[in-house]
Amino acid sequence: MTSNKNYDIKDPTLAEAGRKRIEWATREMPVVKLIRERFAKEKPLSGIRISACLHITSETANLALALKEGGANAILCASNPLSTQDDAAAALVEYGIPVNAIKGEDQKTYYKHINTALDQEPQITVDDGADLVTTLHTERSNLISKVIGGTEETTTGVIRLRSLAKAGGLKYPIIAVNDAQTKYLFDNRYGTGQSTIDGITRATNILWAGRKVVICGYGWCGHGIALRARGLGAQVIITEVEPVRAIEAVMDGYQVMPLIEAAQVGDVFITIAGNKNVIDKAHFQVMKDGALLANSGHFNVEINIPVLESLSSGKQQVRPFVEGYTLKDGRRLYLLGEGRLINLAAAEGHPANVMDMSFANQALCMEYMVKNRGKLKPKVYPVPERIDKQVARLKLDSMGINIDTLTPEQEKYLNSWQEGT
Ligand SMILES: NC(=O)c1ccc[n+]([C@@H]2O[C@H](COP(=O)([O-])OP(=O)(O)OC[C@H]3O[C@@H](n4cnc5c(N)ncnc54)[C@H](O)[C@@H]3O)[C@@H](O)[C@H]2O)c1
């Protein structure tokens, strides 16, 4: 090991375990595999420097390997201090892809790792939550002139980037991968739905049947979590601030009420709103003894942890990823995974099969960025429809599912206005 190495991982001896984990994920990622095989022949990213701030998991490893086959020089850092799979990180380093990520790293190390990823002067940035792009625009703006473009993986990141663009501050084009239909309808809904329940189950081993589960936020992730919690027999309560989403939740068969009311009856609270202090002081004050608190939204700001600390006389780690906060009146509230996204903190994040589509979009959008170098403006772009549809078709092909095609007569009918009653 040299002192100027461009990677920082927990333990290189974990590489073999990581390789096995990555190979297992490969079996579940047929679309990324197809793209990787084409990239190996065509080298569409030849010599392109990519700095990618993503959850360092076996699925991300498959994306990184596809980019490498495409000719890119990619360097990775974590998009969350608790989401890194140290074995996958070690294997990636062995495959020749530098990774800067250690599960449980502190805030200072997290940003040091982002800066190491930026040191390679990226031409493409890949972000999940926009911490890398924000660091680039604030502390490292001297590097921006070299950037062709970027991609953003998650809802919270897209919201931040749109705000930056609105304020006139975004300096290069970014594609909102999150907003592809083949991303949010599957990754956010089925991926977050299953893996959030998985994370809470692994951390607590609770029986879901009969529990009152309060879900804050009925976006695409909230839809998935609610669906899976109900499937396990939970009584689901939704809290929302958007009237359309609230009425949708009502008609989907859930109870809907303000959080202050739900706080008094809930057994498990899951916030997935992408917002700050969603679960706050007034709620802690009325919760039942033994309530479980989990966040699956991108940042650990959804549960007001500083206030929970201030209301408590002490806290105790009762299981891995479970901290019991004793309130001054004797009630105990259990915070899971330090309030960080529970599916990645206490479980393995989304199953590879759903990340297959998200990361196929990522790889194809990076190829698109390079092909369209210099033609795009500094704004947030949607994923080109052609790419979204292509990902869906490839996924269907991989599942052996055929669908119908429009007849010429139907195509004409759908593009006409003359025919009516
Ligand atoms: N855990 C994961 O692996 C994972 C995966 C994808 C997305 N995410 C993150 O999850 C969060 C939600 O993503 P999404 O795609 O569902 O977003 P979304 O915008 O579709 O949904 C969020 C919902 O929360 C509601 N909301 C906002 N503030 C609220 C409040 N105070 N109380 C109740 N509801 C409130 C909004 O009205 C909206 O309906 C984001 O932070 C996103 O980045 C996490």
Side-chain angles (χ1 to χ4, degrees):
M1 254 184 240
T2 57
S3 57
N4 63 350
K5 67 182 169 60
N6 60 352
Y7 66 86
D8 185 21
I9 54 171
K10 183 165 185 203
D11 180 1
T13 67
L14 298 172
E16 199 195 332
R19 223 173 29 246
K20 285 186 181 147
R21 192 202 275 267
I22 292 167
E23 283 165 11
W24 182 255
T26 308
R27 298 171 61 254
E28 289 284 308
M29 301 180 78
V31 180
V32 168
K33 187 161 171 266
L34 270 181
I35 293 170
R36 179 173 164 182
E37 285 160 5
R38 177 171 68 76
F39 275 15
K41 284 191 218 120
E42 297 175 6
K43 303 283 176 204
L45 305 174
S46 186
I48 297 290
R49 297 184 304 277
I50 298 176
S51 298
C53 180
L54 293 167
H55 299 296
I56 306 300
T57 63
S58 54
E59 294 80 27
T60 299
N62 275 280
L63 171 65
L65 289 166
L67 303 180
K68 186 174 156 73
E69 290 284 5
N73 297 315
I75 183 167
L76 270 55
C77 61
S79 60
N80 185 289
L82 258 193
S83 64
T84 299
Q85 294 168 357
D86 291 313
D87 53 1
L92 275 171
V93 169
E94 213 177 71
Y95 284 127
I97 298 171
V99 177
N100 291 272
I102 297 172
K103 186 169 175 111
E105 63 196 18
D106 60 20
Q107 180 104 345
K108 194 166 155 229
T109 312
Y110 175 77
Y111 277 102
K112 187 185 91 184
H113 286 159
I114 286 183
N115 274 294
T116 307
L118 288 174
D119 285 344
Q120 86 149 346
E121 305 185 352
Q123 292 166 292
I124 296 278
T125 62
V126 184
D127 222 339
D128 186 336
D131 279 346
L132 181 125
V133 174
T134 303
T135 307
L136 185 58
H137 276 72
T138 50
E139 294 154 40
R140 307 290 300 272
S141 57
N142 58 315
L143 301 176
I144 286 181
S145 60
K146 303 203 167 95
V147 181
I148 300 168
T151 59
E152 170 54 55
E153 172 75 7
T154 199
T155 316
T156 285
V158 172
I159 290 170
R160 290 179 83 188
L161 293 173
R162 290 224 167 91
S163 303
L164 179 63
K166 203 169 159 197
L170 184 65
K171 300 287 187 229
Y172 60 86
I174 296 197
I175 298 182
V177 168
N178 179 72
D179 295 356
Q181 290 189 68
T182 46
K183 201 282 185 181
Y184 68 82
L185 288 176
F186 305 94
D187 170 319
N188 298 30
R189 181 167 41 173
Y190 301 119
T192 314
Q194 179 172 322
S195 61
T196 298
I197 299 294
D198 183 21
I200 297 171
T201 307
R202 289 198 208 191
T204 62
N205 199 27
I206 58 163
L207 179 74
W208 290 86
R211 297 238 177 190
K212 289 199 168 65
V213 176
V214 180
I215 298 169
C216 309
Y218 198 58
W220 288 108
C221 296
H223 277 70
I225 300 171
L227 200 60
R228 295 300 173 243
R230 177 160 68 186
L232 288 164
Q235 297 171 34
V236 176
I237 300 170
I238 302 290
T239 73
E240 249 302 342
V241 292
E242 279 289 329
V244 175
R245 284 195 151 157
I247 194 76
E248 194 188 2
V250 172
M251 297 224 180
D252 284 346
Y254 304 111
Q255 268 190 283
V256 175
M257 62 182 78
L259 182 54
I260 195 65
E261 285 172 30
Q264 299 165 47
V265 294
D267 301 306
V268 183
F269 294 83
I270 307 169
T271 173
I272 184 69
N275 206 348
K276 196 175 174 181
N277 297 338
V278 176
I279 305 183
D280 212 337
K281 185 173 183 175
H283 311 119
F284 301 135
Q285 281 172 330
V286 295
M287 281 179 184
K288 294 194 294 193
D289 180 36
L292 304 180
L293 311 173
N295 166 47
S296 209
H298 189 78
F299 287 119
N300 62 336
V301 296
E302 302 211 10
I303 300 171
N304 193 338
I305 300 170
V307 156
L308 180 59
E309 300 261 357
S310 73
L311 291 176
S312 306
S313 57
K315 67 174 173 183
Q316 199 188 8
Q317 179 96 31
V318 294
R319 286 167 63 97
F321 306 111
V322 184
E323 274 177 314
Y325 283 78
T326 307
L327 304 191
K328 287 168 189 154
D329 60 12
R331 281 175 303 131
R332 272 190 134 193
L333 303 180
Y334 295 97
L335 178 68
L336 309 187
E338 298 170 22
R340 296 194 187 277
L341 19 76
I342 192 63
N343 59 335
L344 281 141
E348 295 176 64
H350 292 12
N353 201 287
V354 82
M355 293 314 293
D356 191 27
M357 284 192 278
S358 306
F359 285 163
N361 275 296
Q362 283 282 6
L364 296 177
C365 285
M366 281 181 244
E367 181 184 32
Y368 175 88
M369 274 284 175
V370 172
K371 272 194 187 144
N372 290 282
R373 182 198 292 233
K375 291 188 201 151
L376 303 171
K377 296 193 180 75
K379 60 181 216 181
V380 179
Y381 283 88
V383 170
E385 198 185 334
R386 184 184 56 76
I387 291 181
D388 208 353
K389 291 268 192 290
Q390 186 188 355
V391 171
R393 287 203 178 277
L394 290 173
K395 192 69 177 174
L396 283 170
D397 284 351
S398 78
M399 298 163 106
I401 295 171
N402 292 317
I403 58 169
D404 291 321
T405 45
L406 291 171
T407 62
E409 183 194 27
Q410 288 167 343
E411 216 162 308
K412 189 169 167 234
Y413 177 77
L414 291 174
N415 284 300
S416 68
W417 55 270
Q418 291 90 346
E419 276 188 63
T421 313

